[in-house]
Amino acid sequence: MYSILQTQGVLPLVTQINIQTAEIVLKSAAATGIKIIEFAARAEDAKEVFSQMIAFRNANNLDVKIAVGSILTVNDAEAFHKLGADCIVCPHTDLEIGNYCFKNNIYWIPGAATLNEILHANKLGAEIVKLFPADKIGGPGYVKALKAPFPNLKLMPTGGVTLEESNLKSWFKSGVVCVGIGSNLFSKELLAQLTYEKSIEAFENLIEVVEKTRN
């Protein structure tokens, strides 16, 4: 999972979507070479939509892993793992969730904001730590400062990451493994009227700007 995220450089996130929109996102992700996306489980029907996403992906042999985000409890981690999640992403670091993921061999990306929290997450076995909310806690300058004494930290900033070249460039320059992008990639308005063509365009633009800003 680490090498997929490192190679892709970005974890695209979608949330509060119906199955029709989810199918468009999965199909267009696979068509553009996106290997992993995150489905944030924030809606009442998240489990239902997610299980349909897994069924659709498997039925169509799509080469896309699905991480499930916004996981707050170990019960939710277990429920989504049983439904087929490839990775569990949290806004926080929770020992029970971490233990469950390791016992069941599922990749876990916990969230943290401070250096002590990040190191604690690493101690619990997390390889990549989600830096959240990244823009509010100091942006790329903060990452640079953290990595000065701990150059091996593997961070994924999420929150306030945009598709502007200058924004992405500064994140990658600070030494992050990848970035998480949600509403700046698929806004609520875009998701409400998403077509396959629009989704392809969004992913192609994302890939292009990430490649351009990483070099």
Side-chain angles (χ1 to χ4, degrees):
M1 195 67 73
Y2 176 76
S3 63
I4 294 173
L5 285 163
Q6 188 188 32
T7 303
Q8 191 164 294
V10 63
L11 181 57
L13 177 151
V14 287
T15 187
Q16 294 177 325
I17 51 175
N18 58 30
I19 187 56
Q20 287 76 21
T21 308
E23 286 177 2
I24 288 170
V25 168
L26 283 169
K27 253 197 321 197
S28 53
T32 52
I34 293 282
K35 300 290 185 201
I36 182 168
I37 61 167
E38 178 183 336
F39 170 71
R42 293 181 198 149
E44 291 286 305
D45 63 350
K47 288 188 181 79
E48 195 184 317
V49 172
F50 178 70
S51 60
Q52 291 173 309
M53 285 172 79
I54 291 290
F56 179 79
R57 178 194 69 181
N58 296 348
N60 291 277
N61 287 321
L62 301 177
D63 182 20
V64 182
K65 292 188 182 299
I66 309 174
V68 179
S70 300
I71 295 295
L72 306 182
T73 67
V74 70
N75 290 346
D76 281 342
E78 186 176 354
F80 280 98
H81 172 229
K82 286 183 172 160
L83 289 173
D86 294 299
C87 171
I88 296 292
V89 184
C90 307
H92 65 318
T93 299
D94 180 286
L95 177 62
E96 275 188 299
I97 295 175
N99 285 342
Y100 176 83
C101 290
F102 295 119
K103 255 191 258 168
N104 294 279
N105 200 24
I106 178 167
Y107 203 79
W108 177 51
I109 303 178
T114 67
L115 182 57
N116 277 344
E117 287 170 0
I118 294 162
L119 295 175
H120 176 58
N122 286 159
K123 267 206 176 128
L124 295 180
E127 187 175 24
I128 296 176
V129 178
K130 166 176 160 170
L131 195 61
F132 177 80
D135 57 335
K136 300 284 185 273
I137 52 178
Y142 184 62
V143 174
K144 260 189 195 151
L146 293 177
K147 283 181 71 83
F150 291 94
N152 297 326
L153 292 181
K154 296 175 173 69
L155 301 173
M156 177 179 80
T158 306
V161 178
T162 74
L163 286 169
E164 285 168 17
E165 283 185 30
S166 59
N167 180 283
L168 275 178
K169 209 176 191 100
S170 58
W171 284 115
F172 287 125
K173 230 178 160 179
S174 72
V176 301
V177 168
C178 59
V179 296
I181 296 190
S183 56
N184 282 309
L185 174 65
F186 288 110
S187 64
K188 256 189 186 159
E189 297 72 38
L190 179 57
L191 286 173
Q193 31 129 22
L194 194 68
T195 61
Y196 180 66
E197 291 71 28
K198 280 181 182 168
S199 191
I200 286 272
E201 197 182 314
F203 279 130
E204 281 179 344
N205 177 45
L206 174 67
I207 291 164
E208 189 185 328
V209 74
V210 165
E211 278 178 6
K212 200 186 283 184
T213 51
R214 283 181 100 177
N215 299 329

